[in-house]
Amino acid sequence: RETTPRTFKMSLSAKSNLKVLVIGGGGREHSICWKLKQSPLLGSLYCLPGNAGIAEVAECVGGIGVTDVPKIVEWCKDNAIDFVVVGPEDPLTHGVVDELEKASVLAFGPTKAGAELEGSKAFMKDILHKYNVPTATYIRTKSADEAKAYIQKTGAPIVVKASGLCAGKGVILCQTVEEGLAAVDDMMVNKVFKESGDEVVVEEFLTGEEASFFALCDGTTAIPVAGAQDHKQVGDGDTGPNTGGMGAYSPAPILTPEMEEKIMNEVMIPTVKGMAAEGKPFKGVLFAGLMIKDGQIKTLEHNVRFGDPECQTVMMRLKSDLLKVLIMAAEGRFAELPPLEWDPRTALVVVMAAKGYPGSYAKNTPIKGVEAASQEPNAVVFHAGTAMKDGQLVSVGGRVLGVAAIGDDPKAAQTSAYKAVDALDWAEGFCRRDIAYRAVARMN
């Protein structure tokens, strides 16, 4: 069994002038850095590797890969880092938190054993099943023949998932049996997701309204953070292939206080208690992707980090000191943590992506107008796939910017965000024009 992490005598949150490293370089990490920068406890902020936007609020650390755990630990020791916040899933599944703790560096995020909740969809489904967390019926298999037989027996629509990490792209919603069989061939025979598709999960196709929910976990229990709704499909009206997320908003009207309590009691707390019972105590942020229909919840997935782009809307709304909150979570000091404070207004983010995403797209295309977009009242532009080349901001990823805004209601936030979007000058970019359409329709 895994040993419980050591307890820290005096809370880091009682100190000041802290040196903090954020690992990652996307929109999530920009929003986390932006929020950490507002903490009175902060001395210096570093981000590895960061991006062009993060460089405005933190010192970017180059030359070390996010999964090069020994180098990361060495760098933290050489630079007397007090606290590390891990953004993406890859370093977590590579055990960066375990190694930092061995080196006496406090880190926010789950251990390698805890990160298996995201590293293996098959493991995650088994945990949900074992601890009575509501989820879709499923099989897990390493046999393409078995997966195909299950699809033929069950019929369509059906969902095929590569069990390993696929940067949010390993889930195929199949409308026909033929599509299901083709998805199995792509993953298991043609290896489109490499070894991540060696094992697949085939599960029932759920309908309803999707929502996301975050909870902070200290190894034994969980406290609610916030809910959001994101838009996974690339096209307006939820059409086209799935992506890592084209936009999000928080709070989501479907997540009433009663529904949030139900999510905590039926999904979050049983998962955390189950992981503890397995000898894999979960510390960090637990994200649940949920399907809600007729007041009932089914768990689609767990992630072991702040989901992106939802994280950007959550950071826009959080009024509490993020650095203090994350330190207290990492130290297992929830009992001393006052309730989180939130801006009750709606935060919304529109993702600007490179034309062609989630397929192939051009890189190094020039982006102008970010300064103008940032001038829009209540708007912030978070960078995801950006870099500076010869003094010019360029795109280097599929999802490139997160244009976020806050407003009194979903419509106001939507209006501000799209005004900021329209101030951008990036010919090679596109976005969905209907982020938060459900919430706006509910207002009418």
Side-chain angles (χ1 to χ4, degrees):
R1 280 181 178 263
E2 187 174 302
T3 54
T4 46
R6 66 211 159 81
T7 47
F8 296 81
K9 298 287 180 285
M10 172 184 159
S11 175
L12 260 188
S13 65
K15 301 178 183 171
S16 59
N17 218 23
L18 295 175
K19 294 178 84 169
V20 178
L21 171 69
V22 174
I23 298 176
R28 160 185 46 225
E29 288 77 27
H30 190 183
S31 68
I32 288 170
C33 287
W34 173 80
K35 194 72 204 170
L36 289 173
K37 194 75 178 169
Q38 300 164 26
S39 171
L41 305 178
L42 185 73
S44 337
L45 184 60
Y46 304 89
C47 190
L48 182 160
N51 62 37
I54 291 172
E56 293 171 16
V57 291
E59 187 178 320
C60 294
V61 179
I64 303 176
V66 295
T67 56
D68 191 343
V69 173
K71 283 237 173 75
I72 291 171
V73 173
E74 185 187 358
W75 187 90
C76 288
K77 283 159 68 174
D78 290 348
N79 291 275
I81 295 299
D82 294 299
F83 186 54
V84 178
V85 179
V86 188
E89 60 275 22
D90 281 345
L92 293 168
T93 56
H94 279 78
V96 71
V97 170
D98 309 63
E99 296 306 316
L100 285 166
E101 294 231 318
K102 279 182 201 162
S104 299
V105 180
L106 184 66
F108 176 80
T111 58
K112 185 174 185 174
E116 205 184 344
L117 268 181
E118 180 167 358
S120 164
K121 293 186 186 77
F123 170 80
M124 180 265 305
K125 290 290 287 190
D126 284 355
I127 288 285
L128 297 182
H129 181 66
K130 184 172 177 181
Y131 294 99
N132 299 316
V133 177
T135 190
T137 54
Y138 71 102
I139 60 157
R140 60 180 287 187
T141 179
K142 292 182 175 172
S143 154
D145 289 342
E146 189 184 352
K148 288 178 178 179
Y150 184 79
I151 290 167
Q152 279 165 327
K153 186 183 90 186
T154 311
I158 199 159
V159 183
V160 182
K161 299 178 173 183
S163 181
L165 294 176
C166 305
K169 298 182 189 72
V171 176
I172 311 294
L173 309 176
C174 309
Q175 298 302 329
T176 63
V177 167
E178 291 69 34
E179 281 178 25
L181 302 177
V184 171
D185 278 336
D186 277 347
M187 289 177 195
M188 305 190 84
V189 182
N190 305 329
K191 297 286 179 208
V192 294
F193 299 118
K194 304 193 175 74
E195 66 278 2
S196 288
D198 288 352
E199 182 170 26
V200 297
V201 170
V202 185
E203 65 179 30
E204 73 174 305
F205 185 98
L206 297 174
T207 57
E209 192 167 337
E210 272 192 66
S212 311
F213 197 76
F214 297 102
L216 282 175
C217 310
D218 68 353
T220 52
T221 187
I223 58 170
V225 178
Q229 229 164 9
D230 82 334
H231 299 261
K232 281 269 188 283
Q233 285 172 280
V234 73
D236 285 7
D238 295 326
T239 54
N242 267 6
T243 68
M246 293 300 293
Y249 57 99
S250 173
I254 194 168
L255 297 177
T256 59
E258 298 74 28
M259 182 57 76
E260 292 196 351
E261 193 178 337
K262 192 172 160 74
I263 291 165
M264 287 301 294
N265 291 333
E266 292 184 13
V267 180
M268 299 314 218
I269 291 167
T271 300
V272 174
K273 287 198 155 55
M275 288 295 282
E278 296 288 319
K280 300 179 177 187
F282 187 89
K283 293 173 83 165
V285 67
L286 183 64
F287 164 101
L290 306 162
M291 186 68 83
I292 300 172
K293 188 177 185 181
D294 304 329
Q296 297 306 307
I297 310 161
K298 290 270 177 95
T299 309
L300 297 171
E301 63 171 350
H302 274 313
N303 292 340
V304 299
R305 29 95 197 172
F306 282 109
D308 201 24
E310 298 97 324
C311 179
Q312 299 171 44
T313 64
V314 171
M315 293 303 146
M316 291 283 281
R317 291 185 54 227
L318 182 66
K319 290 177 117 169
S320 303
D321 179 348
L322 178 66
L323 182 51
K324 184 173 185 175
V325 169
L326 297 184
I327 286 170
M328 301 290 257
E331 291 176 341
R333 291 178 185 258
F334 277 174
E336 301 162 47
L337 188 66
L340 301 183
E341 285 182 57
W342 295 97
D343 189 322
R345 295 178 297 167
T346 298
L348 180 145
V349 63
V350 178
V351 170
M352 294 295 301
K355 281 181 185 165
Y357 176 81
S360 55
Y361 48 84
K363 289 187 179 176
N364 297 311
T365 60
I367 304 167
K368 300 189 173 87
V370 171
E371 197 58 45
S374 304
Q375 299 303 313
E376 173 62 33
N378 304 319
V380 180
V381 179
F382 294 119
H383 291 236
T386 66
M388 291 299 282
K389 294 257 168 88
D390 307 321
Q392 170 64 53
L393 184 69
V394 296
S395 67
V396 291
R399 293 188 295 168
V400 178
L401 297 170
V403 182
I406 200 157
D408 287 334
D409 56 45
K411 184 72 193 155
Q414 189 188 54
T415 302
S416 290
Y418 282 110
K419 267 192 188 163
V421 164
D422 292 336
L424 293 170
D425 175 9
W426 179 32
E428 292 300 314
F430 79 98
C431 67
R432 278 184 60 164
R433 300 296 307 193
D434 65 344
I435 300 304
Y437 74 87
R438 284 193 190 89
V440 172
R442 270 196 172 92
M443 289 172 61
N444 301 336

